Amino acid sequence: MSILLPNMADFDTIYELDEEDERVVSEEHLVRYCSEPVIMRGAGHITVFGLSNKFDTEFPSVLTGKVAPEEFKTSIGRVNACLKKNLPVNVRWLLCGCLCCCCTVGFSLWPVICLNKRTRRSIQKLLEWENNRLYHKLCLHWKLSKRKCESSNMMEYVILIEFLPKYPIFRPD
């Protein structure tokens, strides 16, 4: 491992560090001191297979200084727009599937399952695009994650905002 010394006379000189040098930071050390992820739970009144119809646009205080509130609201607004476009179709198919469930031995629920999976994938792609566009530069990572509900044994989908560790500049690539 090498670092540059702050002395201007030795500015271009590269020195080797020993493995025992205390300035060397391990990845385990960086991951250990990252903050807990922010969990954005669904705030809608309709939930289809664990996916709520909207997420709350209220800015969490933990993200103050990390991301602008306007950017946060824009990102959540994009996710909510995707849900608003796809979830009503899923609900209609769910109602039709439930009505015909006895006659079709449950096969009428397959369209709902496939549409719900498509909705989840579109939200995951949207969050991946947001990460590449902005949040990875701010050392944040957004992802759609399946979590157990606090009030029951059911599962729900939440948006996890994870803090990525900042790597020291003096570490080589």
Side-chain angles (χ1 to χ4, degrees):
M1 177 161 292
S2 60
I3 64 166
L4 296 176
L5 294 177
N7 186 355
M8 292 307 286
D10 295 328
F11 184 73
D12 291 335
T13 308
I14 298 174
Y15 293 93
E16 293 294 321
L17 293 177
D18 296 333
E19 293 296 324
E20 300 160 0
D21 194 340
E22 58 191 46
R23 288 178 285 181
V24 177
V25 180
S26 65
E27 288 190 27
E28 295 86 21
H29 176 75
L30 291 172
V31 172
R32 190 177 336 145
Y33 292 107
C34 284
S35 300
E36 290 292 319
V38 178
I39 299 174
M40 299 290 301
R41 297 185 65 211
H45 57 280
I46 297 174
T47 303
V48 178
F49 291 113
L51 193 59
S52 182
N53 67 332
K54 73 175 188 172
F55 288 94
D56 194 12
T57 57
E58 183 180 335
F59 186 73
S61 61
V62 178
L63 296 177
T64 303
K66 301 274 187 193
V67 65
E70 297 82 19
E71 286 290 340
F72 175 82
K73 287 183 181 177
T74 303
S75 298
I76 293 292
R78 286 186 181 118
V79 171
N80 286 341
C82 181
L83 288 170
K84 186 178 181 180
K85 184 179 99 178
N86 292 325
L87 224 52
V89 176
N90 295 7
V91 171
R92 288 187 197 118
W93 276 103
L94 180 63
L95 292 175
C96 292
C98 288
L99 290 174
C100 302
C101 187
C102 295
C103 301
T104 62
V105 194
F107 286 115
S108 58
L109 293 175
W110 275 106
V112 181
I113 294 169
C114 293
L115 286 171
N116 195 45
K117 188 174 184 179
R118 187 176 76 176
T119 303
R120 282 194 325 260
R121 287 191 193 265
S122 64
I123 291 172
Q124 287 169 345
K125 285 189 178 208
L126 174 67
L127 292 177
E128 183 179 319
W129 178 77
E130 289 282 347
N131 283 330
N132 291 331
R133 182 184 70 88
L134 174 69
Y135 292 111
H136 281 171
K137 296 171 189 167
L138 301 173
C139 293
L140 295 172
H141 180 77
W142 288 41
K143 70 178 181 178
L144 190 66
S145 179
K146 195 179 210 181
R147 294 282 171 126
K148 185 177 176 183
C149 290
E150 295 171 358
S151 58
S152 66
N153 275 342
M154 298 182 73
M155 300 297 279
E156 68 177 339
Y157 286 95
V158 297
I159 294 178
L160 274 182
I161 304 173
E162 298 174 332
F163 297 96
L164 298 176
K166 292 183 181 179
Y167 290 100
I169 295 174
F170 60 84
R171 283 191 71 189
D173 290 340

